[in-house]
C-alpha cells in the first residue's frame, strides 16, 4: 500500500476519534444538566502560584452537595464535592489580568473555606447569587453560626 494511503487512513482515524470525543463531551454535559441545573464553575489548584492553576468546569447542586466536573473530561463522576455545611464563602473579587485569560468572561473569583482547606472558585455573578441562596437554604440549624 502506498505511504499516502496509510497517511490518509491515519488522518481519517484521528478525525473520527476527535468527532467521537466531541460527541461524548456534549452528551455528558446534557446528562449532567438533566439531573439538576448546571453552571460554569472553575476551580483553582491551591498548590499553584496565585493567578495560575485554574481548571474550567461545571458545577451542579445535588441534594446537600455542590459537585464539580471538569469540562473536558469524559468521566461521569464529579472531580470534587463540597457539602453545604462544609462550604463557607469568605470573600469575592474581580479576576485579575492573568486570570482573565484562563477563566470565562465576566466571572468573579470567590474565596471559600472548607474543613479540607481553602478553595477558590470562579463563577458568574448570577451563579454566585445562586450559590449564596443554596448555602442559606439548608435545613434550620444545619449551618453553624458565625
Amino acid at each position: 500500500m502506498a505511504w499516502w494511503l496509510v497517511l490518509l487512513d491515519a488522518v481519517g482515524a484521528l478525525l473520527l476519534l476527535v468527532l467521537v470525543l466531541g460527541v461524548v463531551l456534549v452528551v455528558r454535559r446534557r446528562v449532567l444538566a438533566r439531573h439538576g441545573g448546571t453552571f460554569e464553575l472553575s476551580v483553582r489548584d491551591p498548590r499553584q502560584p496565585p493567578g495560575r492553576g485554574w481548571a474550567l468546569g461545571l458545577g451542579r447542586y445535588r441534594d446537600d452537595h455542590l459537585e464539580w466536573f471538569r469540562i473536558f473530561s469524559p468521566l461521569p463522576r464529579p472531580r470534587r464535592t463540597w457539602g453545604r455545611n462544609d462550604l463557607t464563602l469568605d470573600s469575592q473579587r474581580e479576576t485579575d489580568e492573568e486570570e482573565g485569560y484562563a477563566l470565562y468572561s465576566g466571572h468573579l473569583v470567590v474565596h471559600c473555606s472548607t474543613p479540607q482547606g481553602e478553595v477558590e472558585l470562579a463563577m458568574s455573578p448570577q451563579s454566585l447569587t445562586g450559590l449564596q441562596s443554596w448555602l442559606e437554604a439548608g435545613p434550620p440549624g444545619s449551618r453553624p453560626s458565625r
Side-chain angles (χ1 to χ4, degrees), residues 71-84:
I71 194 89
F72 294 115
S73 171
L75 299 177
R77 292 190 200 144
R79 194 70 174 264
R80 303 211 31 205
T81 303
W82 300 279
R84 184 192 316 248

Side-chain angles (χ1 to χ4, degrees), residues 23-66:
V23 168
V24 166
L25 292 176
V26 168
V27 168
R28 176 180 169 262
R29 185 167 182 156
R30 292 272 203 188
V31 169
L32 291 176
R34 188 178 315 179
H35 294 293
T38 58
F39 60 99
E40 295 170 340
L41 176 67
S42 300
V43 176
R44 191 177 82 76
D45 183 353
R47 298 171 298 202
Q48 298 292 325
R52 296 186 180 247
W54 286 101
L56 300 177
L58 297 172
R60 176 176 74 180
Y61 302 114
R62 186 82 181 239
D63 300 325
D64 283 339
H65 292 89
L66 172 61

Side-chain angles (χ1 to χ4, degrees), residues 62-128:
R62 186 82 181 239
D63 300 325
D64 283 339
H65 292 89
L66 172 61
E67 300 174 331
W68 178 73
F69 301 84
R70 277 185 165 280
I71 194 89
F72 294 115
S73 171
L75 299 177
R77 292 190 200 144
R79 194 70 174 264
R80 303 211 31 205
T81 303
W82 300 279
R84 184 192 316 248
N85 297 332
D86 297 334
L87 191 63
T88 305
L89 303 182
D90 296 331
S91 63
Q92 69 185 47
R93 62 177 173 81
E94 298 285 330
T95 58
D96 63 27
E97 187 176 335
E98 234 177 71
E99 292 171 325
Y101 295 111
L103 297 172
Y104 295 111
S105 177
H107 278 200
L108 299 171
V109 175
V110 181
H111 188 270
C112 302
S113 299
T114 69
Q116 294 79 27
E118 298 181 354
V119 64
E120 280 187 317
L121 307 173
M123 64 191 76
S124 70
Q126 295 85 4
S127 297
L128 176 57

